[in-house]
Amino acid sequence: MQVGDPFTEKLLIEACLELMATDCIIAIQDMGAAGLTSSSFEMAGKGGVGIELDLDLVPMRETGMTAYEMMLSESQERMLMILKPGREPEAEAIFRKWDLDFAIVGRTTDSGRMVVRRHAAVVADLPIDPLAKSAPVYERPWAETPSPQPFDPSTLPRRDDPIAALKRLLACPDLASKRWIWEQYDHMVMGDTVQRPGGDAAVIRVHGAAKGLALATDCTPRYCYADPVEGGKQAVAECWRNLTAVGALPLAITDNMNFGNPERPEIMGQFVGCIEGMREACRALDFPVVSGNVSLYNETNGVGIPPTPAIGGVGLIRDLDRTASLAIKTGGAKLLLVGDAAGAGWLGQSLYLREIEEREEGAPPPVDLEQERRTGDFVRGLIGGRVGACHDLSDGGLLVAVAEMALSGGIGAAMEMDDVQEPWHGWLFGEGQGRYVIAVAEDAVNAVAVQAGAAGVAVRLIGTTGGEMLTLAGGHAISLQSLRVAHERWLPNYAAGVGARSTTGGTG
């Protein structure tokens, strides 16, 4: 499989954008799966025309390729364009300027057929429509995934050190810092990166403008495996939530559907269930799917991967001065949990259950889409005004979210748990959906509470920022430095061949 070339991709994007600013282009499509075959047939089919291709004119990295190989090659960083007659020199000049290959490899016809030549001989001649428009539709048998019962947290043993659990969670592969990866790449290209990696969503300036784009990718495969419908719903909702957390208005998603062998009814059932959950969430959140792809038969020795409908979302930030990040920025601010009514204490399929109790069972947290939207719209309305920091709750629950905010800003926090009735592991590590933690000035707490009441959104005070420690009721505390070591060491150790996740407890 070819390794992508991000620099060439960037040049290709810039050249295409420059050409699009002219009126040279009639149609354009990137070359993905099946390379020239897919792109040419799809473009011809959509336009109701035929195409003649001369493969002798196609640039090749190596000689001796057969027509079969050339038509199916999936080399990256390529586009296929239909240009207005006579505008070819203008297009070529732009691509040469960006040091890119450019070749006229064929023409459109009114035959409705694809004719391919190699070494002056016709190697393919077939109609467009049967492939582009009349491909058979699979009606595969599928079996619905049985709905699991909610997990009963009262079955868990009593544990007396939430800080030890926090350290272990922050050092597990799901939550460990990925800084070791992203710091190896240039993530400040052209100086338009507004928020660096590590937050809820990437924030990029639209070059030369005051507005920006937010981008996020999300999926929780363990949720999708336990309950594909709720898992698909949650993948869309969490992406929507991550864009909201930086102040962006979510616009649209692309999906990347990764599953095992769909010829097995239980796998096809996972696929069907995830799509149903995604559809429901997209409609409720006004978050349409505009593109996507599917990767099936992902198995090793007959064992499929967990169902993984990865969701990539984009949102609009109209004013980059009105954004939020997860970093706690000042001491003395109040931490508020927004959306508490959405459900704390849900431990089914949680990281706490997997990492601390070594159990994977129960139903994943349900997603109340009506409340999800109401809470997210409320939080987005606060950002740029009273909110100094914002972070959504997902893997690891409340305490992990506050710890990530503290680590990002280098400022600690003291958590309040005086009126918590349920066991601390449910309150601190439950993964109930539709929730955010925000930091606001002390004198803004009452005003936020009033606004929340009017919007039908639950808000409660959970702590105060300050110092260099993360503290809980009952004398539990840990320094940010100790947390940072646990959070950042797993991935470099794994890359170096150690591979063992941290299980160190204690209160540091």
Side-chain angles (χ1 to χ4, degrees):
M1 187 174 74
Q2 180 186 350
V3 177
D5 182 348
F7 183 74
T8 301
E9 183 74 29
K10 175 63 175 174
L11 296 178
L12 178 64
I13 291 171
E14 294 298 331
C16 290
L17 290 174
E18 183 173 340
L19 187 58
M20 289 172 182
T22 72
D23 63 346
C24 293
I25 299 175
I26 296 174
I28 182 171
Q29 182 166 320
D30 70 309
M31 294 190 201
L36 265 171
T37 298
S38 178
S39 55
S40 59
F41 269 92
E42 288 176 359
M43 294 177 77
K46 292 173 183 176
V49 300
I51 287 182
E52 293 183 357
L53 289 176
D54 186 347
L55 298 186
D56 295 337
L57 302 176
V58 176
M60 291 186 292
R61 184 177 294 108
E62 58 186 56
T63 59
M65 294 180 69
T66 66
Y68 181 90
E69 293 169 334
M70 295 179 70
M71 289 299 293
L72 294 180
S73 169
E74 297 182 4
S75 295
Q76 302 297 295
E77 297 91 37
R78 298 188 300 168
M79 303 291 283
L80 185 63
M81 298 179 180
I82 308 297
L83 299 174
K84 292 181 178 179
R87 306 297 294 275
E88 298 91 345
E90 186 176 350
E92 181 173 9
I94 290 174
F95 276 82
R96 299 299 184 194
K97 165 190 165 184
W98 290 96
D99 198 24
L100 295 168
D101 286 327
F102 175 92
I104 301 167
V105 299
R107 65 186 186 91
T108 59
T109 69
D110 59 4
S111 68
R113 301 183 69 84
M114 177 67 66
V115 179
V116 182
R117 291 183 173 85
R118 177 73 164 135
H119 301 317
V122 174
V123 294
D125 184 350
L126 67 166
I128 297 288
D129 284 353
L131 272 71
K133 297 181 179 179
S134 303
V137 176
Y138 286 118
E139 294 288 350
R140 295 197 182 281
W142 59 278
E144 184 175 357
T145 303
S147 297
Q149 293 298 312
F151 178 76
D152 182 2
S154 67
T155 63
L156 294 177
R158 178 181 177 84
R159 297 185 184 274
D160 297 321
D161 193 351
I163 294 298
L166 174 65
K167 286 186 68 176
R168 184 164 179 171
L169 286 172
L170 286 177
C172 78
D174 303 66
L175 296 176
S177 171
K178 308 306 186 291
R179 183 171 64 88
W180 181 85
I181 296 175
W182 57 256
E183 70 181 0
Q184 298 183 50
Y185 298 89
D186 183 0
H187 50 273
M188 299 295 290
V189 176
M190 298 182 71
D192 282 329
T193 300
V194 178
Q195 289 191 24
R196 298 190 181 194
D200 285 318
V203 178
I204 308 295
R205 178 183 292 103
V206 174
H207 195 64
K211 65 181 179 180
L213 297 175
L215 304 102
T217 57
D218 288 287
C219 187
T220 309
R222 65 182 186 278
Y223 290 178
C224 298
Y225 183 79
D227 187 330
V229 175
E230 285 298 325
K233 194 186 302 183
Q234 190 271 346
V236 173
E238 186 177 350
C239 186
W240 189 89
R241 200 181 310 135
N242 279 326
L243 296 174
T244 293
V246 298
L249 176 66
L251 297 179
I253 70 169
T254 183
D255 57 47
N256 183 9
M257 309 293 287
N258 305 280
F259 291 79
N261 182 355
E263 298 173 37
R264 301 216 307 266
E266 68 275 15
I267 300 298
M268 192 64 194
Q270 294 173 349
F271 188 77
V272 171
C274 285
I275 290 176
E276 174 60 27
M278 291 163 55
R279 180 193 66 84
E280 187 178 343
C282 287
R283 288 189 170 183
L285 300 175
D286 193 18
F287 203 25
V289 181
V290 296
S291 67
N293 73 344
V294 177
S295 177
L296 302 174
Y297 298 94
N298 296 289
E299 298 191 348
T300 300
N301 296 327
V303 179
I305 64 168
T308 308
I311 303 298
V314 61
L316 174 65
I317 299 174
R318 292 186 173 87
D319 182 355
L320 286 169
D321 290 331
R322 297 176 64 84
T323 61
S325 69
L326 60 78
I328 294 174
K329 299 173 180 63
T330 61
K334 296 298 181 180
L335 296 177
L336 304 180
L337 176 61
V338 182
D340 188 21
W346 196 281
L347 289 173
Q349 300 300 325
S350 67
L351 282 185
Y352 178 87
L353 195 63
R354 189 190 76 187
E355 295 293 320
I356 308 304
E357 303 297 342
E358 299 183 351
R359 298 165 65 175
E360 296 186 50
E361 56 189 280
V367 181
D368 183 335
L369 292 167
E370 181 180 348
Q371 183 172 318
E372 183 81 55
R373 182 157 188 176
R374 183 168 59 247
T375 303
D377 289 346
F378 170 73
V379 169
R380 194 181 313 108
L382 292 178
I383 291 175
R386 295 187 171 95
V387 173
C390 180
H391 190 17
D392 78 304
L393 272 64
S394 55
D395 284 347
L398 175 61
L399 187 55
V400 165
V402 173
E404 289 173 339
M405 295 174 76
L407 288 172
S408 180
I411 297 174
M415 302 281 289
E416 300 181 9
M417 300 173 57
D418 295 341
D419 59 345
V420 175
Q421 300 299 317
E422 60 188 288
W424 62 259
H425 46 58
W427 169 248
L428 293 177
F429 300 112
E431 296 180 5
Q433 298 294 293
R435 299 184 296 161
Y436 303 77
V437 173
I438 60 174
V440 301
E442 184 174 6
D443 59 8
V445 172
N446 289 337
V448 170
V450 170
Q451 286 182 259
V457 174
V459 171
R460 64 178 295 164
L461 178 65
I462 60 165
T464 304
T465 66
E468 299 178 353
M469 306 284 288
L470 183 61
T471 63
L472 305 175
H476 300 289
I478 186 171
S479 69
L480 295 188
Q481 178 59 28
S482 294
L483 275 182
R484 195 176 307 280
V485 170
H487 187 47
E488 297 203 355
R489 70 181 174 187
W490 184 87
L491 187 56
N493 285 349
Y494 183 83
V498 176
R501 66 181 65 176
S502 169
T503 57
T504 305
T507 56

